[in-house]
Every structure is written in structure tokens, then in C-alpha cells.
Amino acid sequence: MEPLEIAKKVRDRYPSEFIEAYEHRSQVGIVVKKDRIVEILRWLHDDPALQMNHLADLCGVDYLNKKKVRFEVVYNLYSIPQRHRLRVRAQVPENDCQINSVTEIWMGANWHERECFDLFGITFNNHPDLRRVLLPDEWEGHPLRKDYPLDGGGKRWSGYEEVVEKSKKLREYDFYGLYQDPTKKAGQKDARE
Amino acid sequence: MELLWILIKIIIVFAVVMLHVMYATYFERKVIGHMQVRMGPMRVGPHGILQPIADGLKLFFKEDIIPTVADKKVFYAAPLICLISALSAVAVIPFFQGFAIANINIGLLYIFAMSSLASYGVVLAGWSSNSKYSFLGGLRSSAQVISYEIAMGLSLVGVMMLAGSLNLTDIVNAQMSSSWKIYLIPQIIGFFVFVVAMLAETNRTPFDLPEAESELVAGYCTEYSGMRFALFFMAEYIGMIIMSCLAVVCFLGGWSGPFEVPGIPFFWFLLKVYFFIFFYYWVRATLPRYRYDQLMALGWKVLIPLALFNIVLTGTIKSLFG
Amino acid sequence: MKIQYDTRKKLAERIFLIEILKGLALTLKRLFTKSVTVQYPKERKKLFPGFRGRHALIRDPNTQATKCVACMRCATVCPSRCISIRFSVDKKTRARKVNSYEIDALRCIFCGYCEEVCPVNAVVLTEEYEYSDYTRDPFHFDMDRLLKNWDEFLDKNKVDQDKYRNPFLRPRGLSLGDLPAGKRIDVPEEWTYEGQVIWKDGKAVSAKEAASE
Amino acid sequence: MPENRVESKGIVKEDIAYEPYTIAMGPQHPATHGVLKLNLELDGETVLKCTPHVGFLHRGVEKLAENLSYAQTLPLSDRLDYIASMANNVAYSIAVERLLGIEVPVRAKYIRTIVMEMARLTGHLLWLATHALDIGAMTVFLYCFRERENLLDMFEEIIGARLTTSYTCIGGVRQDITGHFLESLYAFTEDFPSKIAEYETLIDKNRIWLKRTQGVGIVTAEEAVSLGLTGPTLRGSGVDYDVRKHMPYDAYPYVDFEVPIGSKGDVYDRYRCRMEEMHQSNSIIRQCIEAMPPGPIRAEDAPDLVMPYGVQKEVAADATFSSGVIKLVKDRHRYMDGDVYVAAEVPKGELGFYFVSDGRGVPYRMHIRAPSFIHIAALSFLCKGQMVADVIAVIGSVDVVLGECDR
């Protein structure tokens, strides 16, 4: 089925949820509200004419100061039997930063949603195991948000000082404990200090 | 005088066995290397000939790390149990006519006893390390021992029946005087069971489960380092040599050969043992590893029934043809 | 395409371990074939020109200094930002003069973009790959060090600077018009746009020859 | 975590003081292919629960890409699946080209297809090597590396690097290939089927290999699709989904090849799929070599390598350096608002790039759909109820690489 037709079908079926449809480089996407997202995606997944059974990708996007609604969760769907593709973008406002989980529809969405939670701080309701996946559990902040500075903003993750202390302690067992740099005169400080 | 002669024999055998252990490691690396289109050790000496000495030195001078949570006494004892039991089994091997440190009448049983004692060392090492991987390795080892000890013992019953003795020298002499010259021909099933059990008994591929490096890191010897690790290593290779000797004595006619080599009475014996050791390496280079439960299934469901069938067959033939 | 495989075995195969014996035969055969190992410190593989190794600044044979004109293209394109250049501009001629050129080799990811974009072929990644050290300092290359790297590369590989051709100095397969003036150096016929190779009748021939036949 | 009711191997044990034996497999373990950590809860040697932990190799590629131009991000794609970096380069390039609307010249398409299939061979060879080594067949490991080394030598010849190649550029490839490369590659393809036969002699019908792989780590077609598995891992379960056929890119529409499909979805089926794929890759490479036409290797309208980001004005103002290696993009409208998701079939599965552009020379958001990430997520499903030794076999059969997973 043509992707634009699918977008039309979604609009007809869920007029209150539907915001817009667009085409870019011959790829079609629809923007919807987040409240009934599980219902919409389940319909796309189960409908015999659509059969969007492959969740190719799920990720978050942060439109800080660009759009009215700050976050979007993007579902890239593909139908292996029908061979058509559709992108569904659900808007998630900053003050209500949560959306329902789609793990009941696709088991594989589990880690995608964990990653999105980890890097954007979007909470997924009804998720079986919502923990950070790529970053340490005690990490502060969500790095892929646009207001998160590239260099980490000078903030240290908790546990950083411990590691530094430990490395200082272990330095006496280091190779450098024995090694004397012949090019350096005595009393000159090591470059690593 | 008798005692002195035994002492001299012990020293000779000990030195020879240790030399063989050293170079068994070297040849293993060379043979497997060339089978895998690479070269093996090439650095220490011409074609790496001094590699075992370098390895020994390295292991000897390495720091001996003992985990703080280990059961220390057992941790110290485990490699010694392995090594001593393996070495004491050498005592009964007849290298040529009349040359065995102890020519005892229960030689075969003695070897079984010693080789099962060696696995206690492995089990204790796994237990005392207080490490999870070591523990699993030790458990696997104990499971492996009970499945393969029996199969191996039963596979040799046929030989005992034909030779009518448990004395290893007598077994060889009985073979030479029999019409087949070697027991491989009438005992082909027993031989097959023995070879498989032999690989399993010495924890070699495809049955190297206690130390399966891709699953259990290094199994029972994960926490061992330096010389203690080397003791396990030596025990493994001595075990290989003993099992090869046993196979040669029981199935391939010991030191007998198609013709006599003047001056070297142990020529044929060594040649056959070397072939078996080569076979160990050859199998290691070729086969994947069994899974733990599959190995047990093979032991109990295939090898033990086969060995029992072999006993019945041997008994039938012996009673029919005398 | 459904894969067709049959792992059932015949009785003879089951009993006599045929497949295991085949495997053993293969390893025994390989025991007697020549090994493929390269005994590294004794023998070395010949690297292909353009191997992306240690950085160097090409020493201009006329001036004995760098060819760099401080255009900042390499520093701009570098994805890991490991190149830092300081230059001064002559107020009258508006010519730029390089004051310092530094590469932090530990930051570098060896993508080769710098040598590809350099319009005068000043910076290059040499075929030198053995330059490990015990401290970090030696990997912070300044301009003298980079020029010395080039000399060392020429000496070590006995390369004639005039004849040395690195495919990044003139990327293979680009037509002359696409290249800045500094990159229009003579290269083997095969590297030029006109001389690009295609496959014909079981061997690689240049497209020009194939067309003329 | 004491529980009173435990179910394992179909036997329910109730009302016993019970604590599962937990093992942390990794991040330093010989068989976890990098820095993967699996927390296993065992009953004897049976796995009750398997929890993968990743992120040890997280480098923040997605955040970095938001601050680098499209061309500058390309070398970072080498570091995703560092075993077959050529494939990542191609996948990244086709995604950016789709976003910018650039059509690649035919010769470049063929060259890319060749290197992509070579990358698939290197990836599959390394997979087979480590998979066999994990199951204990040590010799296969070195035989595979023998061939892989030849392929890496060819990579070195065309671009000067063996592992982190960065071979493609937006709109083509960076260097043309040479005659020596073509000839050695053709000779390799003639020889390679006999090498595959050699690996198969050692393991394909070996009874130990069959026992270790058949009936282990079974995943049905529905489960596999639901889990999001792709590539040979999905096709082993019998789902006919290959990005090269479903959404052809580069020269794949012009070549003739088949997609091997398994039936049961166990470790052995996935193994067979990849072995067949190696034959298919070999044939694709030969077809491409024979059909490759002469012509330009970079698109006319491809963006400049020195994408003026940050120092844009300074460079543009200086007229001396206006003639770059590649022409500057003339029509700026190429960089317009919009988003695309483009996937390519890399050795591990479907590697997709989701780009959001806001009209600058820098991606506003880049998301990498890394197949390894999803495959590792599926490990807890696949390993449940298996034995410790099977966990190793399953990890090997789904073929993960942690550089791609952690990004």
C-alpha cells in the first residue's frame, strides 16, 4: 500500500489524534498526539492490510526552541510481508514527559525505549524494566537533550573522585614507579601530574 | 642394593618423564601450529627449541597470587595432589622387558586408582578457589570422572580376560605369545572405548570441560598462577603420557615390534607412545567441544554399554575358541 | 532460497565416524603445507603506498621548510580536532606564514582527511607504523618533529621524494579539473581519471584501452 | 533473592530455601566478543535468567555527530562495527545521500557494492572464526583469519587502512580501485569456495558440532520479528527479509543473488544461513567486477569535504582556496528541514540511520539503529533455559559486536 494512503487511513480512523502527515525524500511520516499511541500502533501492527510487524527503529528527538512541543518519539515501521514503510512521530511535551510503552506489541522495543529514557529522559509507562542502558545507573542528566553541554558542562559523574583516588593509589604499582625517563632531569615533574 | 637400583630407576624415569613433559608442551604448540598453517613458537632458540625452558622460568618466577577468600590449605594441596598422583602412576609402567620401577600384580588397578585420585586435585582446586567459574569447573570434573572412570575400567576388562593378569608386564608378554601379537585386533571395540575415555579422563579436547576456556575462563585453575598453575599443567601432561603408555601396553603390545632394534629396547614403546601423544594433539586441532550433559550422555549411554558388550563378546569368543 | 541441508547420516557414517576422520585428514594435510605466518620483526610486509601511518609534513626540497600555507583546511576538516595551526598574516602581501603546526597523534583517528584536502600537499600520513613510546609527550608532534618524521620516512624506506606518490596526494580516479593546482602531480597512468581500470576478458585493463579495441 | 518456587527443565521445585547461583559473565570473558556483560542466574548449569549489561564502550557517537559535519561523522561510522567498517561507511553514505538528494555515479555504486560484500565476507569470516572457537573448534579460527587477512590487505591497497577504512565519501568513494586490486580480488573469489569447503569439512557435519548447535537457542519467526532481529539471525528463523532485496541500494538491483532462509531458527540454521551468504557474496563480487563500467567516482554535486561548519565564513572569504578537492555545494537548498530513515544490510543485520536535518550542514539528530544493540537485547530471551555452554553458542550465533551496540 502507498504510504500516503496509510497516513490517510490513520487520519480517518483517529481524527482527534492526528496532527499532520508529510513527505520528505519520498518517505512518509505522520505526526500524532501521544495519548493513544499504543492503540494506533497496535492497529497498524494488527490490521491485515497494513501488517507493520517490523519496528525498524524507535528513537527520541529533542526540538528545544524549535517547536512548540519539545520532544518527539519516532517509530519507524516497516511491513515485511507488505513491503511498505511509515514513520510515526508522537509528540511528547516537556512538562508531561511520558508516553506509553509499546513493548506489548514489539518485544524488541524494550531496549529502544530504555535507550530513549536513558538519553532523553522520556518515561515509558508500563515498561517492564525501565533502567538506564548505555550510561551508568548513577549518571545525572540526559546527554542527548539539546541543553546538555557537549563536554558534560564540567560536571563529574558521581564516583569520578573515587576512580581518581584509586588511580593515584595504584600509581605506585605502575610501570612508572620503576621507570625513569632519561630525557628528563631529576626534579622535573612528570607530564601526567 | 635392591633399594639403590630402585632409586636409580626412579631418578631415571622421573628425569625422562619430566623431559617428556617439557617437550610435550613444545611439540603440542608446534604440531597444532602447523596444522593451523602457522608456525608455533619461533623465538627462543632455533625454531623455539628452548621455549619450554623459557616457559618454566617464567612460571617459576611469577608472583604467586592466592585469593584472600580461598581455603588456603586446600588451595595449596590441590595441585600437589594432582602432580603426585600422576607421577606415582608412572611407577608401574613397564618400558621394556623387566624395566618397571614396581612390577606389581595389580598394576592396572593401581593406575586407575591414581588417575582417579588426580581428579580429586581438580575438584578440590575448583572448590578451594572460592571462585564461581572454578567451582563450576570442579563440579564438571567430578561429573566427568564418574562417567568415564567406569567406561575406561570396563573397556580394559576384555584385555584382562585375554591376558589373565593385571600385571602390566604379564599383559605385554601375553600379547606377544598370543596369535594376534597385539590385542588391538580382538579388542577393537574395547580399544575405541578406551581411546575416547582416555581423552575424557585426561580432560583433553573434545572433553576439556573442566577448563573450557571459552565458557569457564580457565575452569578449575582460574585462580592459580605461577608455579602452582605449572603443577597442574605438568600433571595434565604426565596424565597424557600415562594414558598413552597404558594404551600401548594394553592394546599395542608394549615394547614388542616387527623387528628388534639393537641397543634400544624401548624403541617401539616410545614410538607408539609418541603416536598417541601426537593423536592427542591431532584431535585437539580438529574437534569442537562437547557440552557437559552431552558428555555425560555419551559416557553412560554409549561407552559403558559398548564396553559391557565387549566383555560379553570377549567372554563368548574365549569360551568358544579357548 | 530455503537452505537445503540434510544432517542425517548413513549407518556406516554413524559407526565409523566418517566426518571426524575427514576432519582429521584435513588437519593432517595442513600439517605439511607451508604456513602463512609473517615472522614480524624479522620480516615485514610490504605496505601499499598511502598507508595511513605516522604524520609528517613534507619538507620542500627548495626551501627546506614546510610547504604549508596555513589555509586551515586540514584543521577544519579534522573530525577529532587534533591539528592546531597558528599563523601570522603579512599586512602588505596578505601572505600567510605558519608559526606553529601541531598534531596530537593520540587524538588522531587516521582518517586521512587532512592529506586529502591539503591543496599544496604539505601534510601526509607516512607508511611508518612503529612509533610506540612509554610516555605521551612524544606523540605531540610539533612542526620540527613532523618535518623530521618526513626525513625519517624517506631515509628508512629509501624513498626518493620526487618519485614518491601517495594516492592521497592526488586521489585516484578524479579528473584533473576537480583537483586544486597543487594536487595536479604526475601519477601512474592507472591512477588518473582517464586510466581507470575495468574488467575485461578475465583481466583488468584500462578503460581507454578497452574502448579503443 | 531467595524464592520459594523455582521452575527449571520443566520441574517445579516448591518450598525450598533456594538462591540461584549467579555468575557475571563478562565484561572480561573470552567468549563475550568484547565488553558485553551477562548476569546469569543458574540452576546447576541451566540458565534461569540472563540479563545483558552494555554501555562499556559508549562513546556518544550520536551526540558527537550533532556537532560534526556530515562528512566528518563518516570516520566515526568505522568505529561502529569495526569488524566490517566498509559496510558501515556505505550504510552511512547512502543515508546521507538520501537526505541530501544526491545521485551516485554508476561506477561508484559498483565499487561500493564490491567493498560492501568484501566487508560482509570479513564480518562473516570473523563470526565463523570466533563462533567455532567458542564451541571449541580452534583450527577453523585460524583458517578463517588466513582468508580475512587477504581481504584486509586488499582494503589496505585501495584506501591505506585495514580496519578503520573510511572508504566512501558522501556522493561516491574517495579513491578509485586499481588493476592489481581487481585481479587479486578476482583470484580470491575463484579460490574462496574451496576455502569454505575446508571450514565445512571441519565442522559442518561433525557430530559434536551438530549436537552443540541443533535445537539450541530456538526463536520462531513471529518471535524473531517481534524481537526486531534482522540479518542472518532473522533469516535463520525463516523470515525472508533482506534490506538488499526489500529496499535495494547501490548496485544491488543490477546483480543477481539469492537470500538464504533457514527453517527452525536454531543456532545451526543461523550458521548455515551465514555460510550460504558467503557463497552469495562471493558471486556478487564476481558479477560486480565483471559489470563495472568506467566513469566518475564522485557525484558532481556532492558536498565539500571541508564542510564550512563553524569556520565557514573564514574559508569562503579567502578566494585563494576556493577550488577544493571536491566542489562546494552550489545549491544550498539541499540542506532542508526533514528527516529520513535509510537502512543497509551489513553483516550483522539492518544498520539504519535516522537523520533529522534542520537545514544546516550538521545533522540536527542522528540515530543509529544498531543491529547488535537489538540482538543483545534479545539474548535474555534466547538464553533462557539453556545451559552455560549454550549461552556461548547463542552469543556466537547472533553475531554481536559491542562497538556497534554501545555506539
Side-chain angles (χ1 to χ4, degrees):
Chain A
M1 198 185 288
E2 283 300 306
L4 276 173
E5 274 179 55
I6 305 171
K8 219 162 150 193
K9 273 181 109 173
V10 178
R11 192 190 63 195
D12 294 344
R13 202 178 157 94
Y14 299 99
S16 62
E17 298 296 306
F18 190 86
I19 296 172
E20 60 162 338
Y22 66 96
E23 184 170 359
H24 182 68
R25 303 284 181 210
S26 68
Q27 290 192 353
V28 173
I30 56 174
V31 185
V32 296
K33 287 177 192 156
K34 67 163 191 173
D35 297 328
R36 289 168 70 192
I37 184 74
V38 178
E39 203 179 316
I40 298 169
L41 292 178
R42 191 188 291 283
W43 173 69
L44 286 168
H45 177 269
D46 291 346
D47 191 89
L50 301 172
Q51 293 189 34
M52 305 290 235
N53 56 355
H54 178 51
L55 177 70
D57 191 18
L58 188 161
C59 69
V61 185
D62 179 9
Y63 290 104
L64 180 66
N65 302 333
K66 272 199 184 296
K67 293 194 178 174
K68 257 190 241 152
V69 185
R70 179 168 172 188
F71 293 110
E72 270 180 11
V73 176
V74 185
Y75 305 85
N76 276 296
L77 306 180
Y78 184 71
S79 165
I80 293 173
Q82 306 283 350
R83 300 198 177 198
H84 51 226
R85 182 177 281 293
L86 183 72
R87 185 176 309 120
V88 180
R89 291 162 51 173
Q91 291 186 333
V92 181
E94 191 179 3
N95 50 14
D96 180 26
C97 199
Q98 51 178 318
I99 188 167
N100 288 336
S101 164
V102 294
T103 40
E104 309 157 21
I105 310 172
W106 294 283
M107 279 192 271
N110 188 328
W111 275 37
H112 280 308
E113 289 179 351
R114 279 177 70 185
E115 187 200 335
C116 191
F117 165 73
D118 189 357
L119 302 175
F120 284 95
I122 298 170
T123 313
F124 288 84
N125 302 326
N126 308 329
H127 189 281
D129 181 25
L130 196 65
R131 289 178 290 128
R132 284 189 185 270
V133 59
L134 291 174
L135 302 179
D137 287 341
E138 59 271 22
W139 192 274
E140 287 162 25
H142 302 285
L144 277 183
R145 288 189 173 192
K146 286 285 174 185
D147 50 6
Y148 192 92
L150 182 61
D151 58 355
K155 269 199 291 183
R156 306 286 193 202
W157 49 283
S158 60
Y160 175 83
E161 288 302 323
E162 275 172 46
V163 172
V164 170
E165 280 303 309
K166 205 169 179 182
S167 77
K168 272 184 192 158
K169 238 192 208 167
L170 289 173
R171 194 170 284 179
E172 66 177 286
Y173 305 107
D174 194 352
F175 188 69
Y176 294 96
L178 304 169
Y179 177 70
Q180 303 264 311
D181 193 348
T183 59
K184 286 208 179 94
K185 292 195 183 78
Q188 197 172 351
K189 260 195 165 178
D190 194 325
R192 296 171 306 123
E193 293 294 329
Chain B
M1 203 57 217
E2 184 77 351
L3 200 68
L4 191 69
W5 175 230
I6 288 179
L7 270 180
I8 292 170
K9 276 209 271 194
I10 287 176
I11 290 166
I12 292 173
V13 170
F14 182 75
V16 169
V17 167
M18 278 311 180
L19 196 74
H20 273 81
V21 168
M22 272 168 70
Y23 275 89
T25 61
Y26 171 72
F27 278 108
E28 169 159 30
R29 290 165 73 176
K30 270 296 189 198
V31 166
I32 294 183
H34 279 279
M35 279 178 173
Q36 296 169 342
V37 292
R38 57 194 175 90
M39 283 172 170
M42 287 293 279
R43 284 278 171 275
V44 196
H47 281 264
I49 196 89
L50 299 176
Q51 186 68 42
I53 295 165
D55 283 348
L57 276 178
K58 184 199 81 173
L59 286 170
F60 195 78
F61 287 111
K62 235 179 167 180
E63 189 187 352
D64 183 22
I65 299 166
I66 296 150
T68 44
V69 288
D71 187 343
K72 299 237 168 43
K73 281 173 197 151
V74 186
F75 192 81
Y76 295 149
L80 290 175
I81 294 174
C82 270
L83 185 71
I84 289 170
S85 57
L87 267 176
S88 15
V90 184
V92 293
I93 306 280
F95 294 98
F96 51 91
Q97 185 70 46
F99 189 93
I101 295 173
N103 189 5
I104 53 176
N105 281 335
I106 49 158
L108 215 49
L109 277 184
Y110 176 76
I111 288 187
F112 285 157
M114 284 302 150
S115 66
S116 27
L117 212 57
S119 49
Y120 278 96
V122 172
V123 175
L124 289 176
W127 173 261
S128 66
S129 297
N130 211 343
S131 150
K132 296 195 169 180
Y133 286 112
S134 300
F135 179 59
L136 278 182
L139 279 187
R140 283 181 173 193
S141 178
S142 53
Q144 200 166 326
V145 165
I146 49 171
S147 0
Y148 280 84
E149 200 77 350
I150 300 169
M152 191 158 93
L154 290 177
S155 72
L156 287 174
V157 169
V159 172
M160 295 174 203
M161 286 162 77
L162 288 180
S165 170
L166 285 175
N167 184 319
L168 294 174
T169 314
D170 287 354
I171 290 176
V172 177
N173 287 332
Q175 282 185 61
M176 287 204 276
S177 58
S178 74
S179 52
W180 296 292
K181 296 292 175 210
I182 51 173
Y183 280 166
L184 174 64
I185 300 158
Q187 287 293 318
I188 183 77
I189 300 175
F191 179 71
F192 172 74
V193 174
F194 181 80
V195 167
V196 177
M198 163 179 111
L199 293 171
E201 183 68 24
T202 44
N203 297 339
R204 300 285 300 181
T205 318
F207 307 102
D208 56 343
L209 299 178
E211 51 172 304
E213 78 274 358
S214 61
E215 296 153 25
L216 299 185
V217 191
Y220 63 91
C221 54
T222 307
E223 304 296 337
Y224 281 87
S225 61
M227 213 50 212
R228 284 177 214 287
F229 171 73
L231 292 183
F232 276 120
F233 211 64
M234 280 195 263
E236 185 182 330
Y237 280 84
I238 295 170
M240 276 166 63
I241 292 172
I242 287 169
M243 284 301 149
S244 308
C245 290
L246 197 60
V248 170
V249 166
C250 292
F251 293 100
L252 293 182
W255 56 85
S256 67
F259 56 89
E260 205 116 312
V261 181
I264 321 172
F266 45 82
F267 176 80
W268 290 109
F269 187 84
L270 275 189
L271 198 70
K272 290 168 192 170
V273 169
Y274 287 166
F275 171 75
F276 268 99
I277 292 177
F278 173 74
F279 180 72
Y280 267 111
Y281 304 155
W282 193 9
V283 167
R284 184 175 169 202
T286 312
L287 293 184
R289 184 185 304 121
Y290 267 109
R291 202 171 66 199
Y292 160 71
D293 58 328
Q294 291 163 351
L295 166 125
M296 304 276 283
L298 182 75
W300 291 101
K301 290 185 189 161
V302 181
L303 293 184
I304 291 177
L306 258 181
L308 288 172
F309 172 70
N310 180 46
I311 293 170
V312 174
L313 196 71
T314 315
T316 318
I317 292 173
K318 200 173 155 98
S319 63
L320 283 181
F321 304 103
Chain C
M1 180 181 76
K2 265 268 191 283
I3 302 170
Q4 298 293 324
Y5 60 80
D6 188 9
T7 51
R8 281 173 302 166
K9 296 196 194 76
K10 289 185 195 116
L11 193 66
E13 286 181 347
R14 287 181 73 87
I15 292 174
F16 293 112
L17 312 157
I18 298 294
E19 83 286 349
I20 289 180
L21 291 180
K22 272 186 189 162
L24 287 171
L26 177 73
T27 41
L28 191 66
K29 194 173 112 194
R30 284 285 165 264
L31 182 60
F32 301 106
T33 47
K34 205 173 172 303
S35 55
V36 293
T37 316
V38 176
Q39 289 290 317
Y40 163 59
K42 277 189 208 152
E43 19 177 314
R44 273 153 221 263
K45 277 174 90 167
K46 178 91 184 77
L47 292 176
F48 288 97
F51 181 83
R52 308 203 294 250
R54 181 165 69 171
H55 319 72
L57 280 176
I58 293 182
R59 197 186 283 278
D60 193 335
N62 304 322
T63 61
Q64 295 299 315
T66 173
K67 291 185 192 170
C68 179
V69 291
C71 68
M72 302 297 285
R73 289 179 78 88
C74 52
T76 310
V77 79
C78 182
S80 60
R81 316 251 162 97
C82 69
I83 304 176
S84 56
I85 306 171
R86 292 211 184 97
F87 63 91
S88 51
V89 184
D90 192 319
K91 284 209 174 115
K92 279 178 195 162
T93 59
R94 287 194 55 77
R96 293 182 178 194
K97 185 176 171 297
V98 194
N99 295 336
S100 81
Y101 190 105
E102 285 171 8
I103 293 181
D104 189 351
L106 296 177
R107 246 191 112 112
C108 177
I109 61 171
F110 297 91
C111 59
Y113 278 1
C114 50
E115 48 178 347
E116 188 171 330
V117 297
C118 184
V120 291
N121 288 343
V123 65
V124 72
L125 293 172
T126 60
E127 288 153 37
E128 173 71 41
Y129 55 89
E130 296 156 309
Y131 52 103
S132 56
D133 209 312
Y134 292 109
T135 50
R136 282 162 181 269
D137 294 353
F139 295 101
H140 197 86
F141 299 139
D142 57 8
M143 192 149 69
D144 294 340
R145 180 68 222 178
L146 287 165
L147 288 165
K148 209 169 135 224
N149 284 350
W150 176 246
D151 297 340
E152 277 174 14
F153 165 67
L154 292 183
D155 289 347
K156 196 170 173 188
N157 295 287
K158 303 192 176 53
V159 178
D160 183 359
Q161 180 167 358
D162 298 330
K163 285 184 190 150
Y164 176 70
R165 287 292 172 264
N166 182 330
F168 285 100
L169 299 182
R170 178 175 166 181
R172 277 195 296 258
L174 290 190
S175 55
L176 222 51
D178 287 343
L179 294 167
K183 281 198 163 334
R184 293 176 194 169
I185 53 173
D186 287 335
V187 286
E189 170 80 24
E190 194 185 66
W191 291 14
T192 58
Y193 175 70
E194 293 78 20
Q196 58 184 201
V197 287
I198 56 167
W199 191 258
K200 202 177 176 196
D201 306 331
K203 62 177 194 293
V205 291
S206 97
K208 205 160 66 175
E209 276 173 45
S212 65
E213 272 169 24
Chain D
M1 185 199 68
E3 273 178 34
N4 287 339
R5 188 173 181 283
V6 182
E7 196 176 339
S8 122
K9 296 180 208 159
I11 303 165
V12 180
K13 299 171 187 170
E14 277 191 73
D15 293 332
I16 45 166
Y18 179 84
E19 199 172 339
Y21 192 66
T22 53
I23 269 195
M25 190 182 261
Q28 289 151 10
H29 186 278
T32 49
H33 297 199
V35 285
L36 170 64
K37 183 185 176 197
L38 297 174
N39 278 358
L40 301 178
E41 287 181 12
L42 304 178
D43 172 38
E45 284 215 13
T46 313
V47 177
L48 299 177
K49 195 180 167 196
C50 163
T51 321
H53 289 261
V54 299
F56 297 95
L57 204 58
H58 180 58
R59 292 148 298 180
V61 171
E62 291 172 12
K63 184 81 175 173
L64 282 174
E66 288 174 10
N67 296 278
L68 293 172
S69 74
Y70 288 105
Q72 281 177 319
T73 311
L74 193 125
L76 300 185
S77 75
D78 292 336
R79 277 90 184 156
L80 295 177
D81 177 2
Y82 40 77
I83 290 157
S85 54
M86 282 286 192
N88 302 335
N89 295 159
V90 176
Y92 179 82
S93 302
I94 58 166
V96 177
E97 280 149 16
R98 183 71 173 271
L99 180 73
L100 307 185
I102 294 166
E103 183 62 25
V104 182
V106 184
R107 184 179 171 88
K109 281 186 176 179
Y110 274 98
I111 293 175
R112 280 185 182 189
T113 313
I114 289 172
V115 295
M116 184 126 187
E117 291 306 317
M118 283 169 74
R120 196 180 312 284
L121 285 182
T122 55
H124 282 359
L125 281 172
L126 194 123
W127 154 78
L128 179 63
T130 51
H131 186 37
L133 185 70
D134 289 347
I135 295 186
M138 188 171 42
T139 304
V140 182
F141 177 79
L142 286 135
Y143 289 176
C144 290
F145 264 70
R146 183 183 58 189
E147 271 72 65
R148 189 177 137 88
E149 204 63 11
N150 294 343
L151 287 167
L152 294 184
D153 282 350
M154 291 176 210
F155 285 161
E156 185 193 317
E157 179 176 354
I158 52 173
I159 193 64
R162 299 161 66 82
L163 220 55
T164 51
T165 48
S166 317
Y167 181 55
T168 59
C169 62
I170 317 296
V173 294
R174 281 168 73 190
Q175 302 260 346
D176 203 349
I177 51 176
T178 60
H180 180 259
F181 167 81
L182 273 187
E183 270 159 15
S184 49
L185 183 58
Y186 200 82
F188 177 85
T189 56
E190 278 179 342
D191 206 21
F192 190 56
S194 71
K195 305 283 172 157
I196 299 178
E198 200 167 89
Y199 317 142
E200 289 185 345
T201 315
L202 283 172
I203 51 177
D204 197 47
K205 283 201 170 144
N206 190 307
R207 60 192 67 200
I208 304 176
W209 181 266
L210 293 180
K211 274 193 176 171
R212 286 298 301 277
T213 52
Q214 282 187 331
V216 172
I218 295 179
V219 53
T220 63
E222 288 78 33
E223 287 163 352
V225 174
S226 173
L227 282 166
L229 303 182
T230 43
T233 316
L234 173 69
R235 293 195 284 274
S237 301
V239 183
D240 184 7
Y241 175 57
D242 187 321
V243 183
R244 293 175 292 175
K245 286 279 188 197
H246 278 233
M247 285 155 276
Y249 52 95
D250 283 351
Y252 286 109
Y254 317 140
V255 292
D256 179 33
F257 67 101
E258 283 187 273
V259 180
I261 310 285
S263 50
K264 288 197 212 83
D266 56 4
V267 173
Y268 189 74
D269 269 4
R270 298 197 272 271
Y271 152 79
R272 279 307 320 166
C273 271
R274 290 202 174 87
M275 295 304 272
E276 286 301 323
E277 257 183 35
M278 285 208 254
H279 283 289
Q280 297 297 332
S281 293
N282 203 45
S283 123
I284 294 174
I285 292 174
R286 290 184 72 135
Q287 291 175 38
C288 284
I289 290 177
E290 278 158 6
M292 187 167 60
I297 56 161
R298 289 181 191 174
E300 286 281 311
D301 49 0
D304 192 340
L305 201 53
V306 193
M307 189 55 233
Y309 168 65
V311 278
Q312 173 182 358
K313 279 175 192 157
E314 194 187 332
V315 173
D318 201 323
T320 326
F321 309 105
S322 58
S323 61
V325 181
I326 315 162
K327 291 184 190 95
L328 283 164
V329 179
K330 299 210 177 58
D331 40 356
R332 298 285 303 165
H333 71 267
R334 281 193 183 291
Y335 296 96
M336 55 187 188
D337 285 5
D339 53 352
V340 292
Y341 172 82
V342 181
E345 184 81 12
V346 298
K348 306 281 178 284
E350 174 187 341
L351 175 66
F353 285 90
Y354 175 66
F355 281 106
V356 180
S357 167
D358 64 341
R360 291 182 302 151
V362 190
Y364 184 74
R365 165 94 170 102
M366 178 181 92
H367 183 252
I368 303 164
R369 188 248 190 237
S372 295
F373 184 72
I374 294 144
H375 290 177
I376 287 174
L379 276 184
S380 59
F381 179 86
L382 288 168
C383 292
K384 202 170 181 182
Q386 309 285 339
M387 302 191 82
V388 175
D390 293 334
V391 173
I392 307 297
V394 169
I395 295 174
S397 76
V398 298
D399 192 15
V400 293
V401 57
L402 269 292
E404 187 177 71
C405 169
D406 294 348
R407 306 197 283 283

